[in-house]
Amino acid sequence: MDAIRAGVYTRAQLITMVGRQGLAELINARYARTLRRGWYQVGDAPQAVVTAVERGGVLSCVSALKHHGVWVPEHHDVHVRADSWATRNRKGPFCRQFGRPAPTVSAVDDLPTAIRHSARCLSSESLIVVGDSILNRGLMTWDQLEYQFCNAPTSVGRALERCDSRSESGPETMCRLRLAELRIPVQIQVQVTDIDRVDVLIGDWLIIEIDGWEYHGDWQSFQKDRGRDRRTCRIGYHTLRFTYDDIVFGWADSLADIQAAVDAGLHKRPNRRLA
């Protein structure tokens, strides 16, 4: 039992790993249980994967992307794809890709299959967010990502053209796209001093920093961020700091603050120099 990683497997996969007798022993020991015909849960498998298989499919789309370490927009349901029989006879909803259905290989779709299915579920902005994360984390090259959508509508291709591998988080991508749509001059991951790189730069002098708890939730990072603010202020930059929630859930108020700074010209002229 220790040789098998907890997860969800087909009967054929388990027989290949432990043989028929081994599978029977796993079931008798209650370390494996049937989820549906031909599919078994082994050990403490991820609940999202279990749910997907119990519903008649496999984990796919944004749920599978998250499983593979991609930054995905907030979602509270489990995204599942299924074969044609399950689609007709099981309770959905089920995710679909553009073009012919993909074969089922495992309980969790691989990254290419998952990203193809996400195109129907995500808005253009969210698809770009996912694309940025995949490129930034080196999970696919640009050519590999583009190839997955050869059967997709041109609108999907246009969205992918706006992906930027430099973007380091979903909120950063959201901020970049939304400001660009308002024709506010924006750059990302800009080196403003020899040692300081900032998330977003509007114009020449207005810095936007987006503090996610994942990367800024310890004292060392907190202190480092404040030191950067002092250094950049000294040479003329003005910094606005936002949290994940500010961008994802409170964009209207955040945009109002950014727009006020732009209207005041803080992106065009430096603050009074302190040194």
Side-chain angles (χ1 to χ4, degrees):
M1 290 189 291
D2 293 338
I4 301 180
R5 181 181 300 177
V8 176
Y9 303 92
T10 65
R11 177 180 175 84
Q13 288 172 327
L14 288 173
I15 289 175
T16 298
M17 290 188 285
V18 299
R20 296 178 186 276
Q21 182 62 35
L23 175 56
E25 292 174 358
L26 290 174
I27 295 172
N28 289 335
R30 297 186 179 180
Y31 190 67
R33 72 180 183 95
T34 303
L35 295 178
R36 73 171 199 262
R37 183 177 180 181
W39 289 86
Y40 295 84
Q41 175 185 348
V42 175
D44 189 20
Q47 185 56 49
V49 182
V50 171
T51 298
V53 172
E54 285 182 325
R55 281 177 47 187
V58 297
L59 196 72
S60 190
C61 197
V62 295
S63 296
L65 292 175
K66 184 176 181 180
H67 181 90
H68 290 301
V70 178
W71 199 102
V72 299
E74 290 278 333
H75 69 286
H76 303 288
D77 51 342
V78 177
H79 286 246
V80 183
R81 78 170 179 92
D83 59 24
S84 57
W85 182 91
T87 302
R88 292 192 304 269
N89 296 281
R90 293 271 190 160
K91 183 178 180 180
F94 295 110
C95 302
R96 297 169 55 205
Q97 68 177 13
F98 294 104
R100 300 180 63 182
T104 297
V105 177
S106 66
V108 180
D109 273 340
D110 60 17
L111 187 61
T113 306
I115 185 64
R116 290 198 303 273
H117 282 77
S118 73
R120 282 184 177 270
C121 289
L122 296 176
S123 66
S124 292
E125 179 185 271
S126 294
L127 183 60
I128 297 169
V129 165
V130 166
D132 280 4
S133 179
I134 289 173
L135 294 172
N136 180 262
R137 299 182 186 199
L139 300 175
M140 282 185 178
T141 66
W142 165 252
D143 288 341
Q144 289 171 333
L145 181 61
E146 184 181 42
Y147 176 76
Q148 303 308 318
F149 297 100
C150 57
N151 293 318
T154 55
S155 58
V156 174
R158 287 196 297 268
L160 291 177
E161 289 173 357
R162 301 174 66 189
C163 288
D164 193 322
S165 63
R166 296 172 298 167
S167 185
E168 295 184 347
S169 73
E172 183 182 311
T173 297
M174 294 174 186
C175 184
R176 165 175 64 88
L177 295 174
R178 294 168 185 179
L179 293 177
E181 288 177 358
L182 296 173
R183 300 186 182 278
I184 295 176
V186 59
Q187 305 173 67
I188 63 170
Q189 295 302 320
V190 181
Q191 199 77 30
V192 294
T193 74
D194 290 342
I195 60 173
D196 297 310
R197 185 166 52 118
V198 299
D199 291 337
V200 177
L201 182 66
I202 297 177
D204 296 317
W205 297 102
L206 180 58
I207 294 170
I208 305 296
E209 286 289 312
I210 303 167
D211 299 335
W213 183 254
E214 179 181 358
Y215 299 106
H216 301 264
D218 62 87
W219 175 253
Q220 184 177 8
S221 296
F222 182 89
Q223 189 70 25
K224 181 180 178 181
D225 290 342
R226 272 65 197 169
R228 179 194 298 132
D229 290 349
R230 293 194 300 273
R231 287 190 299 272
T232 55
C233 178
R234 190 176 297 123
I235 60 176
Y237 289 96
H238 184 91
T239 299
L240 296 178
R241 284 192 172 274
F242 299 93
T243 66
Y244 170 96
D245 284 359
D246 289 333
I247 302 300
V248 176
F249 303 115
W251 176 248
D253 290 337
S254 300
L255 177 59
D257 292 339
I258 295 172
Q259 190 66 64
V262 171
D263 291 344
L266 295 181
H267 65 307
K268 292 182 178 180
R269 58 177 174 78
N271 297 332
R272 178 175 60 85
R273 295 180 183 269
L274 302 180

